[in-house]
Amino acid sequence: MRQDEAKHFDERTAAGDTAAEPGGAADPEARYRRSSAFLIDEALGFLFPAALRAAADVGVADHLADGPRTPAELATTTGLDARSLHRVLRLLATRGVVAEDDAGRFTLTDAGQALRSDVPCSARTAVQMLTDRTMWQPAGELTSCLTEGTASFEAIFGMPFFDWFAQDARTAAVFHGGMAAMSDAENAVIAAAYDFPETGTVVDVGGGHGGLLLEVLRRNPGVAGVLYDRAHVLAGHRLDTDKEIAGRWTLAEGDFFVSAPPGDIHLLKRITHDWDDETCVTLLTSCRRSLHPGGRVLVLDAVVPRGNAPHQSKTLDLMMMASLTGRERTEADFAALFDRAGLRLSRVLPTPTVLSVVEAVPA
């Protein structure tokens, strides 16, 4: 049951709409039966991302690119089990990722196109990252977060999240590949949402493979860029894929908690939400010290809105709670962080994505 259905449920309950229930409007148990049905349906919801991951792992969307096919036809091509494949596709069809016709053939819908690996902004590796066991297993142990007040990741894997990365190449590859895939659909519109200066240096702090910096440089021909990250991350950078920005970027290796390259703008995209407040203050202080006069720090993260409406930040916040030490933050939270780091929140600019541009200047 989705958010709009939950609202409908609440309205019916408030109105006492129990005429169809045993015992009619006077039945005192009717509202609890509906609540029970709703909660059980919600508890089963974890099986949809499980099905989505399975489809991503076996690349079934690529085999639907040329048109409708039955599970038996897909099984012949892929070597998968036809009956199991049908059951996975049938569940994905309930959310509009695929659609089944009267002949039992499945079609990839518009909503499901990015599950393919051969399209721009493919989400396949992002799905695999978000449902990887390093995210999935800690989420199943959220109770320990409530009782212990710490992430459940370390109890499961024996060390903190990023320490696990340092010794597990598979997880590191999944994470960085998945983050790059998530960013591919965001970077162009985020770069276009902010009025960068005509000249100067933009430093992408913890910028991964450089997708955001690439878009910033494409749109701002007078700007130079620095991609700053760990050496093993920089090895996968993509800045050399566009000849138009040649000669305008450099790579810098280092630890952003210790220092950052000097620049006019420091970008922090999906970085601060990984870390607790104390660590973020250290990071932001490092950036502030490296700013040129008149410089700015741009935190590109989700900003948790007020109210009860769904927002991806509220979902991601529990992932941060389970696997990392960070959290998604409100505008007031960011203002407090900046103040402790010698910065001042100047404005929050929404973008067409779930992320906002949270701009800070030296206090």
Side-chain angles (χ1 to χ4, degrees), residues 184-241:
D184 283 345
E186 303 170 334
N187 289 330
V189 292
I190 289 175
Y194 188 80
D195 186 18
F196 286 89
E198 293 184 1
T199 60
T201 300
V202 173
V203 182
D204 196 353
V205 179
H209 293 168
L212 175 60
L213 185 59
L214 178 62
E215 294 294 345
V216 170
L217 295 178
R218 281 173 173 168
R219 285 163 173 73
N220 300 276
V223 168
V226 179
L227 182 61
Y228 184 52
D229 216 313
R230 298 286 192 176
H232 71 279
V233 180
L234 293 174
H237 83 87
R238 297 182 291 169
L239 295 176
D240 55 3
T241 61

Short mmCIF file of all heavy atoms in Angstrom, two decimals, residues 184-241:
data_model
loop_
_atom_site.label_atom_id
_atom_site.label_comp_id
_atom_site.label_asym_id
_atom_site.label_seq_id
_atom_site.Cartn_x
_atom_site.Cartn_y
_atom_site.Cartn_z
N ASP A 184 24.93 10.07 -12.30
CA ASP A 184 24.80 10.34 -13.73
C ASP A 184 23.46 11.00 -14.07
O ASP A 184 23.40 11.84 -14.98
CB ASP A 184 24.95 9.04 -14.53
CG ASP A 184 26.40 8.61 -14.66
OD1 ASP A 184 27.29 9.44 -14.39
OD2 ASP A 184 26.64 7.44 -15.01
N ALA A 185 22.42 10.61 -13.38
CA ALA A 185 21.10 11.18 -13.66
C ALA A 185 20.91 12.54 -12.99
O ALA A 185 19.94 13.24 -13.28
CB ALA A 185 20.01 10.22 -13.18
N GLU A 186 21.83 12.92 -12.10
CA GLU A 186 21.68 14.16 -11.33
C GLU A 186 22.61 15.28 -11.79
O GLU A 186 22.27 16.46 -11.69
CB GLU A 186 22.00 13.91 -9.84
CG GLU A 186 21.19 12.84 -9.17
CD GLU A 186 21.74 12.49 -7.80
OE1 GLU A 186 22.97 12.67 -7.58
OE2 GLU A 186 20.96 12.01 -6.97
N ASN A 187 23.80 14.90 -12.23
CA ASN A 187 24.88 15.88 -12.35
C ASN A 187 24.57 17.05 -13.28
O ASN A 187 24.86 18.20 -12.96
CB ASN A 187 26.16 15.17 -12.81
CG ASN A 187 26.74 14.30 -11.71
OD1 ASN A 187 26.59 14.59 -10.55
ND2 ASN A 187 27.43 13.24 -12.11
N ALA A 188 24.01 16.76 -14.45
CA ALA A 188 23.78 17.83 -15.42
C ALA A 188 22.81 18.87 -14.88
O ALA A 188 23.04 20.08 -15.00
CB ALA A 188 23.27 17.24 -16.73
N VAL A 189 21.71 18.41 -14.28
CA VAL A 189 20.70 19.37 -13.80
C VAL A 189 21.17 20.10 -12.56
O VAL A 189 20.82 21.26 -12.33
CB VAL A 189 19.34 18.67 -13.56
CG1 VAL A 189 18.73 18.22 -14.87
CG2 VAL A 189 19.48 17.50 -12.61
N ILE A 190 22.00 19.44 -11.74
CA ILE A 190 22.55 20.13 -10.57
C ILE A 190 23.53 21.21 -11.01
O ILE A 190 23.52 22.34 -10.52
CB ILE A 190 23.22 19.13 -9.62
CG1 ILE A 190 22.15 18.27 -8.93
CG2 ILE A 190 24.05 19.85 -8.56
CD1 ILE A 190 22.72 17.17 -8.08
N ALA A 191 24.40 20.87 -11.97
CA ALA A 191 25.37 21.85 -12.47
C ALA A 191 24.67 23.05 -13.10
O ALA A 191 25.15 24.18 -13.02
CB ALA A 191 26.30 21.18 -13.48
N ALA A 192 23.51 22.81 -13.71
CA ALA A 192 22.76 23.89 -14.35
C ALA A 192 21.95 24.71 -13.34
O ALA A 192 21.51 25.81 -13.66
CB ALA A 192 21.83 23.31 -15.41
N ALA A 193 21.76 24.18 -12.14
CA ALA A 193 20.90 24.85 -11.17
C ALA A 193 21.62 25.95 -10.39
O ALA A 193 20.98 26.75 -9.70
CB ALA A 193 20.33 23.82 -10.18
N TYR A 194 22.95 25.99 -10.51
CA TYR A 194 23.72 26.96 -9.73
C TYR A 194 24.47 27.90 -10.67
O TYR A 194 25.01 27.48 -11.69
CB TYR A 194 24.70 26.25 -8.81
CG TYR A 194 25.40 27.17 -7.84
CD1 TYR A 194 24.76 27.60 -6.69
CD2 TYR A 194 26.69 27.62 -8.09
CE1 TYR A 194 25.39 28.47 -5.80
CE2 TYR A 194 27.34 28.48 -7.22
CZ TYR A 194 26.68 28.90 -6.07
OH TYR A 194 27.29 29.75 -5.20
N ASP A 195 24.52 29.16 -10.30
CA ASP A 195 25.19 30.17 -11.10
C ASP A 195 26.67 30.24 -10.70
O ASP A 195 27.06 30.99 -9.81
CB ASP A 195 24.52 31.53 -10.90
CG ASP A 195 25.07 32.60 -11.82
OD1 ASP A 195 25.72 32.23 -12.83
OD2 ASP A 195 24.85 33.79 -11.55
N PHE A 196 27.47 29.42 -11.38
CA PHE A 196 28.91 29.41 -11.08
C PHE A 196 29.57 30.68 -11.63
O PHE A 196 29.09 31.28 -12.58
CB PHE A 196 29.55 28.17 -11.71
CG PHE A 196 29.24 26.89 -10.99
CD1 PHE A 196 28.12 26.15 -11.34
CD2 PHE A 196 30.05 26.44 -9.96
CE1 PHE A 196 27.82 24.97 -10.67
CE2 PHE A 196 29.76 25.27 -9.28
CZ PHE A 196 28.63 24.53 -9.63
N PRO A 197 30.69 31.08 -11.03
CA PRO A 197 31.37 32.29 -11.53
C PRO A 197 31.94 32.05 -12.92
O PRO A 197 32.14 30.91 -13.34
CB PRO A 197 32.48 32.49 -10.48
CG PRO A 197 32.72 31.15 -9.90
CD PRO A 197 31.38 30.47 -9.87
N GLU A 198 32.23 33.13 -13.62
CA GLU A 198 32.76 33.02 -14.97
C GLU A 198 34.19 32.49 -14.99
O GLU A 198 34.62 31.86 -15.96
CB GLU A 198 32.69 34.37 -15.68
CG GLU A 198 31.27 34.85 -15.95
CD GLU A 198 31.25 36.15 -16.73
OE1 GLU A 198 32.35 36.65 -17.07
OE2 GLU A 198 30.15 36.66 -17.00
N THR A 199 34.93 32.77 -13.93
CA THR A 199 36.31 32.29 -13.83
C THR A 199 36.53 31.76 -12.42
O THR A 199 35.70 31.94 -11.53
CB THR A 199 37.32 33.42 -14.11
OG1 THR A 199 37.12 34.47 -13.15
CG2 THR A 199 37.14 33.97 -15.52
N GLY A 200 37.69 31.12 -12.21
CA GLY A 200 38.02 30.61 -10.90
C GLY A 200 38.23 29.12 -10.91
O GLY A 200 38.22 28.47 -11.96
N THR A 201 38.41 28.56 -9.71
CA THR A 201 38.69 27.14 -9.56
C THR A 201 37.61 26.49 -8.71
O THR A 201 37.31 26.95 -7.60
CB THR A 201 40.06 26.92 -8.89
OG1 THR A 201 41.07 27.51 -9.71
CG2 THR A 201 40.34 25.44 -8.72
N VAL A 202 37.05 25.40 -9.24
CA VAL A 202 36.05 24.61 -8.53
C VAL A 202 36.72 23.31 -8.08
O VAL A 202 37.29 22.59 -8.91
CB VAL A 202 34.84 24.30 -9.42
CG1 VAL A 202 33.89 23.33 -8.72
CG2 VAL A 202 34.11 25.58 -9.80
N VAL A 203 36.68 23.04 -6.79
CA VAL A 203 37.28 21.83 -6.24
C VAL A 203 36.15 20.87 -5.85
O VAL A 203 35.31 21.20 -5.02
CB VAL A 203 38.14 22.13 -5.00
CG1 VAL A 203 38.78 20.85 -4.47
CG2 VAL A 203 39.21 23.17 -5.34
N ASP A 204 36.14 19.71 -6.49
CA ASP A 204 35.14 18.69 -6.15
C ASP A 204 35.74 17.78 -5.09
O ASP A 204 36.57 16.90 -5.37
CB ASP A 204 34.78 17.89 -7.41
CG ASP A 204 33.50 17.08 -7.24
OD1 ASP A 204 32.97 17.04 -6.10
OD2 ASP A 204 33.03 16.49 -8.22
N VAL A 205 35.36 18.01 -3.84
CA VAL A 205 35.94 17.33 -2.69
C VAL A 205 35.25 15.98 -2.50
O VAL A 205 34.05 15.91 -2.32
CB VAL A 205 35.79 18.20 -1.42
CG1 VAL A 205 36.38 17.47 -0.21
CG2 VAL A 205 36.44 19.55 -1.62
N GLY A 206 36.04 14.91 -2.53
CA GLY A 206 35.45 13.57 -2.48
C GLY A 206 34.61 13.32 -3.71
O GLY A 206 33.56 12.68 -3.63
N GLY A 207 35.09 13.82 -4.85
CA GLY A 207 34.28 13.85 -6.08
C GLY A 207 34.20 12.55 -6.84
O GLY A 207 33.64 12.53 -7.95
N GLY A 208 34.75 11.47 -6.30
CA GLY A 208 34.60 10.17 -6.96
C GLY A 208 35.21 10.13 -8.34
O GLY A 208 36.37 10.51 -8.55
N HIS A 209 34.41 9.71 -9.30
CA HIS A 209 34.90 9.58 -10.68
C HIS A 209 34.79 10.87 -11.48
O HIS A 209 35.12 10.90 -12.66
CB HIS A 209 34.15 8.46 -11.38
CG HIS A 209 34.44 7.10 -10.82
ND1 HIS A 209 33.72 5.98 -11.12
CD2 HIS A 209 35.41 6.68 -9.95
CE1 HIS A 209 34.20 4.94 -10.48
NE2 HIS A 209 35.22 5.34 -9.75
N GLY A 210 34.29 11.95 -10.84
CA GLY A 210 34.33 13.26 -11.48
C GLY A 210 33.14 13.61 -12.35
O GLY A 210 33.21 14.58 -13.12
N GLY A 211 32.04 12.89 -12.22
CA GLY A 211 30.88 13.16 -13.06
C GLY A 211 30.32 14.56 -12.88
O GLY A 211 29.96 15.23 -13.86
N LEU A 212 30.23 15.02 -11.64
CA LEU A 212 29.68 16.36 -11.39
C LEU A 212 30.65 17.43 -11.91
O LEU A 212 30.23 18.38 -12.57
CB LEU A 212 29.41 16.57 -9.91
CG LEU A 212 28.96 17.97 -9.51
CD1 LEU A 212 27.67 18.35 -10.21
CD2 LEU A 212 28.82 18.09 -8.00
N LEU A 213 31.93 17.29 -11.59
CA LEU A 213 32.90 18.28 -12.04
C LEU A 213 32.92 18.35 -13.56
O LEU A 213 33.04 19.45 -14.14
CB LEU A 213 34.29 17.93 -11.51
CG LEU A 213 35.39 18.95 -11.80
CD1 LEU A 213 35.05 20.32 -11.22
CD2 LEU A 213 36.73 18.45 -11.27
N LEU A 214 32.78 17.23 -14.22
CA LEU A 214 32.73 17.21 -15.68
C LEU A 214 31.60 18.09 -16.21
O LEU A 214 31.79 18.89 -17.13
CB LEU A 214 32.55 15.77 -16.16
CG LEU A 214 32.41 15.52 -17.67
CD1 LEU A 214 33.68 15.95 -18.40
CD2 LEU A 214 32.12 14.05 -17.93
N GLU A 215 30.43 17.98 -15.59
CA GLU A 215 29.28 18.78 -16.03
C GLU A 215 29.48 20.26 -15.71
O GLU A 215 29.09 21.13 -16.50
CB GLU A 215 28.00 18.26 -15.38
CG GLU A 215 27.59 16.86 -15.80
CD GLU A 215 27.19 16.77 -17.27
OE1 GLU A 215 26.97 17.83 -17.90
OE2 GLU A 215 27.13 15.65 -17.79
N VAL A 216 30.07 20.56 -14.57
CA VAL A 216 30.33 21.96 -14.22
C VAL A 216 31.28 22.59 -15.23
O VAL A 216 31.06 23.72 -15.71
CB VAL A 216 30.93 22.06 -12.79
CG1 VAL A 216 31.42 23.48 -12.51
CG2 VAL A 216 29.88 21.66 -11.76
N LEU A 217 32.34 21.88 -15.59
CA LEU A 217 33.31 22.42 -16.55
C LEU A 217 32.71 22.55 -17.94
O LEU A 217 33.03 23.50 -18.68
CB LEU A 217 34.55 21.52 -16.58
CG LEU A 217 35.37 21.46 -15.29
CD1 LEU A 217 36.54 20.50 -15.44
CD2 LEU A 217 35.85 22.84 -14.87
N ARG A 218 31.86 21.65 -18.33
CA ARG A 218 31.20 21.74 -19.64
C ARG A 218 30.37 23.01 -19.74
O ARG A 218 30.32 23.65 -20.80
CB ARG A 218 30.30 20.52 -19.86
CG ARG A 218 31.01 19.26 -20.28
CD ARG A 218 30.05 18.09 -20.29
NE ARG A 218 30.66 16.87 -20.85
CZ ARG A 218 30.11 15.66 -20.78
NH1 ARG A 218 28.94 15.49 -20.15
NH2 ARG A 218 30.73 14.64 -21.32
N ARG A 219 29.71 23.39 -18.66
CA ARG A 219 28.79 24.52 -18.69
C ARG A 219 29.44 25.86 -18.36
O ARG A 219 28.82 26.89 -18.52
CB ARG A 219 27.63 24.25 -17.71
CG ARG A 219 26.65 23.23 -18.25
CD ARG A 219 25.75 22.67 -17.16
NE ARG A 219 24.73 21.84 -17.76
CZ ARG A 219 24.95 20.63 -18.28
NH1 ARG A 219 26.18 20.11 -18.25
NH2 ARG A 219 23.97 19.92 -18.82
N ASN A 220 30.68 25.80 -17.90
CA ASN A 220 31.36 27.03 -17.47
C ASN A 220 32.77 27.04 -18.06
O ASN A 220 33.74 26.68 -17.38
CB ASN A 220 31.40 27.10 -15.94
CG ASN A 220 30.01 27.10 -15.33
OD1 ASN A 220 29.36 28.13 -15.22
ND2 ASN A 220 29.53 25.92 -14.94
N PRO A 221 32.90 27.47 -19.31
CA PRO A 221 34.17 27.33 -20.03
C PRO A 221 35.33 28.14 -19.46
O PRO A 221 36.49 27.87 -19.79
CB PRO A 221 33.83 27.79 -21.45
CG PRO A 221 32.59 28.61 -21.30
CD PRO A 221 31.83 28.02 -20.17
N GLY A 222 35.05 29.12 -18.59
CA GLY A 222 36.13 29.89 -18.00
C GLY A 222 36.62 29.36 -16.68
O GLY A 222 37.53 29.94 -16.06
N VAL A 223 36.07 28.26 -16.23
CA VAL A 223 36.36 27.71 -14.92
C VAL A 223 37.35 26.55 -15.03
O VAL A 223 37.27 25.74 -15.97
CB VAL A 223 35.06 27.25 -14.23
CG1 VAL A 223 35.34 26.42 -13.00
CG2 VAL A 223 34.20 28.46 -13.87
N ALA A 224 38.26 26.45 -14.07
CA ALA A 224 39.15 25.30 -13.95
C ALA A 224 38.64 24.40 -12.82
O ALA A 224 37.93 24.86 -11.92
CB ALA A 224 40.57 25.76 -13.67
N GLY A 225 39.00 23.13 -12.86
CA GLY A 225 38.50 22.20 -11.86
C GLY A 225 39.59 21.32 -11.27
O GLY A 225 40.58 21.00 -11.93
N VAL A 226 39.37 20.94 -10.00
CA VAL A 226 40.25 19.99 -9.31
C VAL A 226 39.38 18.86 -8.77
O VAL A 226 38.41 19.13 -8.04
CB VAL A 226 41.01 20.66 -8.15
CG1 VAL A 226 41.91 19.63 -7.45
CG2 VAL A 226 41.83 21.85 -8.64
N LEU A 227 39.71 17.64 -9.13
CA LEU A 227 39.02 16.47 -8.60
C LEU A 227 39.86 15.91 -7.46
O LEU A 227 41.00 15.48 -7.67
CB LEU A 227 38.82 15.41 -9.69
CG LEU A 227 38.07 14.14 -9.27
CD1 LEU A 227 36.64 14.48 -8.82
CD2 LEU A 227 38.04 13.14 -10.43
N TYR A 228 39.31 15.92 -6.26
CA TYR A 228 40.06 15.59 -5.05
C TYR A 228 39.46 14.36 -4.38
O TYR A 228 38.28 14.36 -4.00
CB TYR A 228 40.02 16.79 -4.10
CG TYR A 228 40.83 16.64 -2.84
CD1 TYR A 228 42.17 16.26 -2.88
CD2 TYR A 228 40.27 16.90 -1.61
CE1 TYR A 228 42.92 16.15 -1.71
CE2 TYR A 228 41.00 16.81 -0.43
CZ TYR A 228 42.34 16.43 -0.49
OH TYR A 228 43.07 16.33 0.66
N ASP A 229 40.27 13.30 -4.25
CA ASP A 229 39.79 12.07 -3.62
C ASP A 229 40.98 11.18 -3.32
O ASP A 229 42.13 11.55 -3.54
CB ASP A 229 38.78 11.36 -4.52
CG ASP A 229 37.66 10.68 -3.72
OD1 ASP A 229 37.99 9.99 -2.73
OD2 ASP A 229 36.49 10.83 -4.09
N ARG A 230 40.68 9.97 -2.85
CA ARG A 230 41.72 8.97 -2.61
C ARG A 230 42.25 8.45 -3.95
O ARG A 230 41.53 8.45 -4.95
CB ARG A 230 41.16 7.81 -1.80
CG ARG A 230 40.67 8.20 -0.41
CD ARG A 230 41.83 8.46 0.54
NE ARG A 230 41.39 8.55 1.93
CZ ARG A 230 42.21 8.68 2.96
NH1 ARG A 230 43.52 8.77 2.74
NH2 ARG A 230 41.74 8.75 4.19
N ALA A 231 43.48 7.96 -3.94
CA ALA A 231 44.13 7.53 -5.18
C ALA A 231 43.36 6.42 -5.87
O ALA A 231 43.19 6.43 -7.10
CB ALA A 231 45.56 7.07 -4.88
N HIS A 232 42.87 5.44 -5.11
CA HIS A 232 42.19 4.31 -5.74
C HIS A 232 40.86 4.73 -6.36
O HIS A 232 40.38 4.09 -7.29
CB HIS A 232 41.97 3.18 -4.73
CG HIS A 232 40.95 3.46 -3.68
ND1 HIS A 232 41.22 4.21 -2.55
CD2 HIS A 232 39.63 3.13 -3.58
CE1 HIS A 232 40.14 4.31 -1.80
NE2 HIS A 232 39.16 3.67 -2.40
N VAL A 233 40.26 5.82 -5.86
CA VAL A 233 39.02 6.33 -6.45
C VAL A 233 39.34 7.12 -7.71
O VAL A 233 38.69 6.96 -8.75
CB VAL A 233 38.27 7.21 -5.44
CG1 VAL A 233 36.98 7.74 -6.07
CG2 VAL A 233 37.96 6.43 -4.17
N LEU A 234 40.35 7.97 -7.63
CA LEU A 234 40.74 8.78 -8.78
C LEU A 234 41.14 7.94 -9.98
O LEU A 234 41.02 8.38 -11.13
CB LEU A 234 41.90 9.71 -8.40
CG LEU A 234 41.59 10.81 -7.38
CD1 LEU A 234 42.88 11.54 -7.00
CD2 LEU A 234 40.55 11.78 -7.90
N ALA A 235 41.58 6.72 -9.73
CA ALA A 235 41.99 5.85 -10.83
C ALA A 235 40.85 5.58 -11.80
O ALA A 235 41.09 5.26 -12.97
CB ALA A 235 42.52 4.53 -10.27
N GLY A 236 39.61 5.74 -11.35
CA GLY A 236 38.46 5.50 -12.22
C GLY A 236 37.83 6.76 -12.77
O GLY A 236 36.70 6.71 -13.28
N HIS A 237 38.52 7.89 -12.70
CA HIS A 237 37.92 9.16 -13.10
C HIS A 237 37.58 9.18 -14.59
O HIS A 237 38.15 8.44 -15.40
CB HIS A 237 38.85 10.32 -12.76
CG HIS A 237 39.93 10.57 -13.77
ND1 HIS A 237 39.75 11.38 -14.87
CD2 HIS A 237 41.21 10.12 -13.85
CE1 HIS A 237 40.85 11.42 -15.58
NE2 HIS A 237 41.76 10.67 -15.00
N ARG A 238 36.64 10.10 -14.94
CA ARG A 238 36.14 10.18 -16.31
C ARG A 238 36.38 11.55 -16.95
O ARG A 238 35.82 11.87 -18.00
CB ARG A 238 34.64 9.88 -16.34
CG ARG A 238 34.30 8.46 -15.89
CD ARG A 238 32.81 8.22 -15.99
NE ARG A 238 32.08 9.00 -15.01
CZ ARG A 238 30.76 9.14 -14.99
NH1 ARG A 238 30.02 8.58 -15.93
NH2 ARG A 238 30.16 9.85 -14.07
N LEU A 239 37.21 12.36 -16.34
CA LEU A 239 37.41 13.71 -16.85
C LEU A 239 38.09 13.72 -18.22
O LEU A 239 37.95 14.68 -18.98
CB LEU A 239 38.23 14.54 -15.86
CG LEU A 239 37.56 14.81 -14.51
CD1 LEU A 239 38.50 15.54 -13.58
CD2 LEU A 239 36.26 15.61 -14.69
N ASP A 240 38.83 12.67 -18.53
CA ASP A 240 39.53 12.63 -19.81
C ASP A 240 38.65 12.10 -20.95
O ASP A 240 39.14 11.87 -22.06
CB ASP A 240 40.80 11.79 -19.71
CG ASP A 240 40.56 10.39 -19.19
OD1 ASP A 240 39.37 10.04 -18.96
OD2 ASP A 240 41.53 9.64 -19.01
N THR A 241 37.36 11.94 -20.69
CA THR A 241 36.47 11.45 -21.74
C THR A 241 35.90 12.57 -22.60
O THR A 241 35.24 12.30 -23.61
CB THR A 241 35.29 10.66 -21.13
OG1 THR A 241 34.53 11.52 -20.27
CG2 THR A 241 35.80 9.47 -20.31
#
